[in-house]
Amino acid sequence: MPTVTAAAPIVPAPIDLTGYALAIGGAVLFSTKGIFIKLAYAYGVSTETLLALRMLVAMPFYIGIFMTMIWRDSSSRARLTPTNVLLSMAVGLLGYYVASYLDFAGLNFLSAQYERLVLFTYPFFVLLFGVWFFGDRMIWRVVPAMAISYAGLLVIFGWNLTVAPDGLVTGTALVLGSAVTFAFYQHLAKAQMSRIGAGLFTCIGMTTAAIAALGQNTVLYGVDSFAQMPPQVWIYGLCLGLICTVLPSFLLNNAIQRIGARATSSMATFGPIFTIALAVIILSEPFTPFHVVGTLLVILGSVMFSRAERTARDLV
């Protein structure tokens, strides 16, 4: 009689708590970006100038960190082949310049709350792009979660359409384009970080994006555009550069390296909650019953998405 061998029990993969903590911290800090942008826009500053100011503040930190890393670590210098540097520059340009510019431009038309919720859909695109272009397995159980989140966006979109329709479609398209771009960036960034490390990649990518933003603003408005800005805008620019850029970029990229693009994107749940609270308190944005319903649906869908994705990943 043949011997029946019991199937080995499925052991869930260990949870990297540090990786998840980095992802949450990055999401919270990054979520304050819309608040500072809206405050700066109140002074009439252009999208291009504000983005350039953000990068002007952040760039010295990335250059300094980059120089320190290659000076202290010979292995870092060895990884900086021309191919790795050029690819990192291209990927950084996509994620830190193109995605950022679309998001900044969209905030000319949208409230900080709604912008954050639209941008919050990028984990869905991370999943889809992973399946379409990077050989990931489709997780069909997340589809209802995606539908719930988009239903929440439609609730708030409908409210805005009746109250403040001007520029709503344009702003939504711009921010949605930012979400799509950033999702694709996350997959490309993970590959580059595996080659040269999260620190080197972040410094190269952000410095490249900074040069592009500064160049764009110089062509459009000239170098003296910074001198014409009031002190308040400089303060908001400092906050955008440090609190919303330098710190979260390293937190999120290290999280991606530790727990992957999908898991990192799923921790973005904390971002909209923080943004909404700040938008209501600081910007005096309305928070109607429609906002309550829409926000709850978006966050519920994201939580369901995160759980379904994590369960599927543990069972692989």
Side-chain angles (χ1 to χ4, degrees), residues 39-41 43-45 49-50 53 229-238 240:
L39 289 171
Y41 279 167
Y43 289 88
V45 63
T49 301
L50 187 59
L53 177 60
M229 292 186 300
Q232 294 89 338
V233 175
W234 274 99
I235 294 173
Y236 298 141
L238 287 170
L240 282 169

Side-chain angles (χ1 to χ4, degrees), residues 43 49 221-231 233-234:
Y43 289 88
T49 301
Y221 304 107
V223 179
D224 61 343
S225 58
F226 295 116
Q228 298 171 3
M229 292 186 300
V233 175
W234 274 99

Side-chain angles (χ1 to χ4, degrees), residues 13-277:
I15 298 176
D16 188 336
L17 294 178
T18 301
Y20 281 97
L22 291 170
I24 292 171
V28 169
L29 291 179
F30 191 70
S31 70
T32 62
K33 172 174 58 66
I35 305 299
F36 293 119
I37 293 173
K38 297 294 284 187
L39 289 171
Y41 279 167
Y43 289 88
V45 63
S46 69
T47 297
E48 294 80 11
T49 301
L50 187 59
L51 179 59
L53 177 60
R54 174 201 192 191
M55 294 302 190
L56 179 66
V57 171
M59 186 169 63
F61 291 91
Y62 291 110
I63 294 176
I65 294 170
F66 176 80
M67 297 303 294
T68 301
M69 291 181 67
I70 62 174
W71 176 60
R72 291 183 175 179
D73 186 7
S74 59
S75 64
S76 295
R77 296 192 295 271
R79 293 194 296 270
L80 293 177
T81 64
T83 300
N84 283 337
V85 171
L86 289 174
L87 286 175
S88 297
M89 290 173 66
V91 175
L93 199 65
L94 179 70
Y96 296 129
Y97 172 67
V98 177
S100 293
Y101 182 76
L102 292 172
D103 186 37
F104 272 56
L107 275 164
N108 282 292
F109 308 98
L110 306 180
S111 68
Q113 298 177 64
Y114 182 58
E115 174 266 349
R116 178 52 46 185
L117 290 175
V118 174
L119 200 61
F120 191 48
T121 61
Y122 84 90
F124 305 151
F125 296 111
V126 171
L127 170 65
L128 294 177
F129 290 157
V131 173
W132 293 342
F133 304 113
F134 298 95
D136 291 347
R137 181 173 60 89
M138 180 61 187
I139 306 173
W140 292 104
R141 69 182 69 185
V142 305
V143 173
M146 295 168 66
I148 290 173
S149 282
Y150 278 104
L153 284 179
L154 284 175
V155 170
I156 302 179
F157 181 87
W159 180 86
N160 280 301
L161 198 60
T162 59
V163 176
D166 293 343
L168 179 62
V169 174
T170 300
T172 301
L174 286 168
V175 177
L176 197 61
S178 177
V180 170
T181 304
F182 191 71
F184 198 67
Y185 151 82
Q186 284 214 323
H187 284 288
L188 298 175
K190 181 171 175 58
Q192 281 306 109
M193 284 187 282
S194 67
R195 296 185 181 101
I196 66 173
L200 286 176
F201 169 78
T202 302
C203 291
I204 294 172
M206 285 299 305
T207 301
T208 305
I211 293 171
L214 290 167
Q216 180 189 31
N217 182 69
T218 301
V219 170
L220 293 177
Y221 304 107
V223 179
D224 61 343
S225 58
F226 295 116
Q228 298 171 3
M229 292 186 300
Q232 294 89 338
V233 175
W234 274 99
I235 294 173
Y236 298 141
L238 287 170
C239 293
L240 282 169
L242 298 179
I243 299 174
C244 312
T245 304
V246 175
L247 290 177
S249 68
F250 281 102
L251 292 176
L252 290 174
N253 280 339
N254 276 279
I256 293 172
Q257 190 175 39
R258 295 179 70 103
I259 62 178
R262 281 188 182 180
T264 298
S265 63
S266 69
M267 289 297 101
T269 311
F270 296 88
I273 300 174
F274 201 66
T275 300
I276 289 168

